[in-house]
Amino acid sequence: MTINKKTTKSNNKKKTISDYDTVNKVPNYEVSELAFVSKNTKQYDALIAAIQKEEMAPYYLYLKEQDTNMPFDQTIYEQLVQKNSEKIKELKDEITKNEENDEGELEKAYCWVKLGEYYAQIGDVENSLTTFEKASSASISLGGKIDIMLTIVRIALFFNDQVKAQEKLNQADEMIEKGGDWERRNRFKTYKGIHLMAIRNFQEASELLVDSLTAFTSLEIASYEDIAVYASVCGILSLNRNDLKTKIIDSPEVLVAMSTSEPLQAIISLAISLYTSDYSSFFPFLLQTREKVFLPSKFLNPHTDFFLRQMRIKVYSQLLQSYKTLSLKSMADSFGVSIEFLDSDLGKFIPTKQLNCVIDRVNGIIETNRPDNKDAQFNCLIKQSDSLISKLQKYVASVKITSD
């Protein structure tokens, strides 16, 4: 939740909305990412240290059930349970005190938010959601309700529950349309971009994540370097050549983040290889992107094979569109691969019409057969016409309402 209590000069001073106006990093997304990496590498020391720091007894137990290889120390668990019980009692006592003293609605809501955030911090999903519902039902501002909804989205993304994330994003969107401020709109844009990327909607995710880079403040959900990587991955898959150059390769925001991010360096090197048609470096950078960007990422890992396949289709299509016929040897030499590998790889995409060409293995050539695009142009014209008619109808209706 973005409400965070600031220190006041006097405990008796009535608090205002500005006293609850920073974003807390709960749950800590880095722990979830550590859990993903640890499960794959079987290295758990950093994860367990992070769990202890965040006092995450419920999450520790949850991971034990999810990953049978993770070492589970009963003593550590009991110590964390004790810390959780003490902190929860303290927060509940504060709620009781505020209710007995009949404090204002904002103060009461803040107390519920603090408890909900602690539940979220330790990985107790059920209690965190119940508590946030109580906080949201209080007479707080629309902005406060949006903050609560975005916190629940963070919890869903922490556990990679994309169904719950979608549900809460829809609710947050409705609230924001009623009066969300600039900062909350930007945070929503980042959250939704991550969710869309996670469910493989790279086109829409690209638009949101690229826009997020210019005014990124959502450090509670991801680092700046992470967002730059996500935007670059989605961009290289969905942007056309010119937009890839201006929005990703030459982006000042991406260039700034590159110096401290090996994953970003890998994906940008791949993008440059594609843009400049430097085919000899394409496969090395593609493999590097697989190792440094996709495999270690909780959100991107499930899409590794899809990404590798789509990038090969994209680069093959880019080379073939310049030729009517091309020898297999020449194309293989361009990519620095064997003829056998290229023949086999192209054969995965030709039967499904993902590449518009045929292989003449006897003569060792590839013949392109570009489809007639008149139907596509006609469909595009119809779609644009429908959009124009819809806009004109809305305009006419608005003019009529105004005149009435």
Side-chain angles (χ1 to χ4, degrees), residues 230-391:
Y230 296 159
S232 299
V233 166
C234 296
I236 197 173
L237 282 170
S238 61
L239 295 177
N240 62 40
R241 183 180 177 84
N242 290 335
D243 285 343
L244 179 64
K245 173 70 169 173
T246 57
K247 295 182 178 181
I248 301 297
I249 296 174
D250 289 343
S251 165
E253 291 79 17
V254 171
L255 292 174
V256 166
M258 273 185 64
S259 61
T260 56
S261 173
E262 286 189 8
L264 188 56
Q265 292 169 15
I267 188 66
I268 294 303
S269 295
L270 180 64
I272 292 173
S273 172
L274 179 67
Y275 179 79
T276 60
S277 302
D278 182 10
Y279 300 122
S280 63
S281 67
F282 179 83
F283 277 108
F285 285 135
L286 184 63
L287 294 176
Q288 192 177 97
T289 298
R290 174 183 180 271
E291 297 297 322
K292 294 184 178 296
V293 178
F294 278 79
L295 294 186
S297 171
K298 176 181 73 174
F299 295 125
L300 291 174
N301 185 284
H303 311 301
T304 303
D305 290 342
F306 174 83
F307 178 82
L308 296 177
R309 184 170 61 252
Q310 292 303 118
M311 289 307 300
R312 279 155 38 224
I313 292 171
K314 193 164 189 174
V315 74
Y316 291 153
S317 298
Q318 179 174 297
L319 175 59
L320 290 171
Q321 70 181 1
S322 301
Y323 301 91
K324 186 172 182 179
T325 61
L326 179 68
S327 73
L328 268 171
K329 184 179 186 308
S330 175
M331 187 171 179
D333 289 344
S334 296
F335 284 105
V337 297
S338 68
I339 293 176
E340 291 71 22
F341 170 84
L342 183 63
D343 183 22
S344 173
D345 209 33
L346 291 175
K348 298 172 184 175
F349 310 123
I350 294 173
T352 57
K353 305 298 183 181
Q354 291 173 296
L355 287 177
N356 296 306
C357 63
V358 294
I359 299 176
D360 181 349
R361 195 68 176 87
V362 174
N363 295 310
I365 62 173
I366 305 168
E367 297 180 358
T368 60
N369 50 4
R370 301 181 186 87
D372 188 352
N373 63 356
K374 289 182 179 179
D375 287 344
Q377 292 174 348
F378 178 75
N379 290 333
C380 181
L381 177 62
I382 294 297
K383 185 176 180 181
Q384 292 174 345
S385 300
D386 289 342
S387 177
L388 178 59
I389 291 172
S390 178
K391 289 180 181 179

Side-chain angles (χ1 to χ4, degrees), residues 25 27-54 56 59-60 62-63 66-67 69-71 157-160 221 226 230 295-299:
K25 190 177 177 179
N28 187 343
Y29 69 88
E30 293 177 359
V31 181
S32 178
E33 293 176 353
L34 271 174
F36 177 80
V37 172
S38 297
K39 187 174 183 178
N40 291 331
T41 63
K42 305 298 186 289
Q43 301 293 321
Y44 294 96
D45 290 347
L47 171 62
I48 293 174
I51 288 172
Q52 289 180 275
K53 181 179 179 181
E54 298 289 334
M56 304 179 77
Y59 188 61
Y60 193 23
Y62 165 82
L63 289 180
Q66 298 294 313
D67 182 3
N69 292 312
M70 187 189 75
L157 291 175
F158 182 91
F159 286 94
N160 211 5
I221 191 67
D226 287 340
Y230 296 159
L295 294 186
S297 171
K298 176 181 73 174
F299 295 125

Side-chain angles (χ1 to χ4, degrees), residues 59-95:
Y59 188 61
Y60 193 23
L61 189 62
Y62 165 82
L63 289 180
K64 177 189 176 184
E65 298 170 353
Q66 298 294 313
D67 182 3
T68 56
N69 292 312
M70 187 189 75
F72 186 84
D73 189 317
Q74 187 65 30
T75 301
I76 291 176
Y77 175 69
E78 290 175 358
Q79 291 172 346
L80 293 176
V81 169
Q82 180 64 29
K83 289 182 179 180
N84 292 169
S85 299
E86 292 173 357
K87 183 64 176 179
I88 290 168
K89 182 180 183 304
E90 175 188 327
L91 293 170
K92 286 184 174 179
D93 287 346
E94 187 175 347
I95 291 172

